[in-house]
mmCIF file of all heavy atoms in Angstrom:
data_model
loop_
_atom_site.group_PDB
_atom_site.id
_atom_site.type_symbol
_atom_site.label_atom_id
_atom_site.label_comp_id
_atom_site.label_asym_id
_atom_site.label_seq_id
_atom_site.Cartn_x
_atom_site.Cartn_y
_atom_site.Cartn_z
ATOM 1 N N SER A 401 94.186 -8.679 -37.424
ATOM 2 C CA SER A 401 94.881 -7.804 -36.421
ATOM 3 C C SER A 401 96.189 -7.413 -37.018
ATOM 4 O O SER A 401 96.600 -6.218 -36.831
ATOM 5 C CB SER A 401 95.169 -8.717 -35.167
ATOM 6 O OG SER A 401 93.953 -9.089 -34.542
ATOM 7 N N THR A 418 94.356 9.206 -48.201
ATOM 8 C CA THR A 418 92.884 9.302 -48.021
ATOM 9 C C THR A 418 92.468 8.102 -47.185
ATOM 10 O O THR A 418 92.794 6.918 -47.552
ATOM 11 C CB THR A 418 92.186 9.323 -49.386
ATOM 12 O OG1 THR A 418 92.677 10.473 -50.149
ATOM 13 C CG2 THR A 418 90.699 9.464 -49.106
ATOM 14 N N LEU A 430 90.505 1.088 -30.558
ATOM 15 C CA LEU A 430 91.893 0.610 -30.675
ATOM 16 C C LEU A 430 92.638 0.771 -29.412
ATOM 17 O O LEU A 430 92.528 1.806 -28.754
ATOM 18 C CB LEU A 430 92.591 1.391 -31.751
ATOM 19 C CG LEU A 430 92.480 0.959 -33.220
ATOM 20 C CD1 LEU A 430 93.148 1.897 -34.137
ATOM 21 C CD2 LEU A 430 93.041 -0.431 -33.422
ATOM 22 N N GLN A 691 95.586 -10.379 -20.597
ATOM 23 C CA GLN A 691 96.728 -9.450 -20.309
ATOM 24 C C GLN A 691 97.226 -9.649 -18.914
ATOM 25 O O GLN A 691 96.410 -10.023 -18.059
ATOM 26 C CB GLN A 691 96.339 -7.996 -20.505
ATOM 27 C CG GLN A 691 95.818 -7.688 -21.883
ATOM 28 C CD GLN A 691 96.864 -7.639 -22.957
ATOM 29 O OE1 GLN A 691 98.047 -7.470 -22.692
ATOM 30 N NE2 GLN A 691 96.513 -7.884 -24.212
ATOM 31 N N MET A 925 61.830 8.292 -23.334
ATOM 32 C CA MET A 925 60.479 8.824 -23.103
ATOM 33 C C MET A 925 60.387 10.300 -22.847
ATOM 34 O O MET A 925 59.316 10.842 -22.706
ATOM 35 C CB MET A 925 59.796 8.112 -21.949
ATOM 36 C CG MET A 925 59.336 6.678 -22.295
ATOM 37 S SD MET A 925 58.271 5.934 -20.961
ATOM 38 C CE MET A 925 58.027 4.263 -21.623
ATOM 39 N N VAL A 1004 52.134 -28.977 -18.918
ATOM 40 C CA VAL A 1004 51.507 -28.910 -17.608
ATOM 41 C C VAL A 1004 51.388 -30.271 -16.973
ATOM 42 O O VAL A 1004 51.454 -30.434 -15.759
ATOM 43 C CB VAL A 1004 50.056 -28.270 -17.712
ATOM 44 C CG1 VAL A 1004 49.259 -28.423 -16.405
ATOM 45 C CG2 VAL A 1004 50.146 -26.767 -18.015
#
Side-chain angles (χ1 to χ4, degrees):
S401 301
T418 303
L430 273 177
Q691 302 288 334
M925 285 190 184
V1004 168

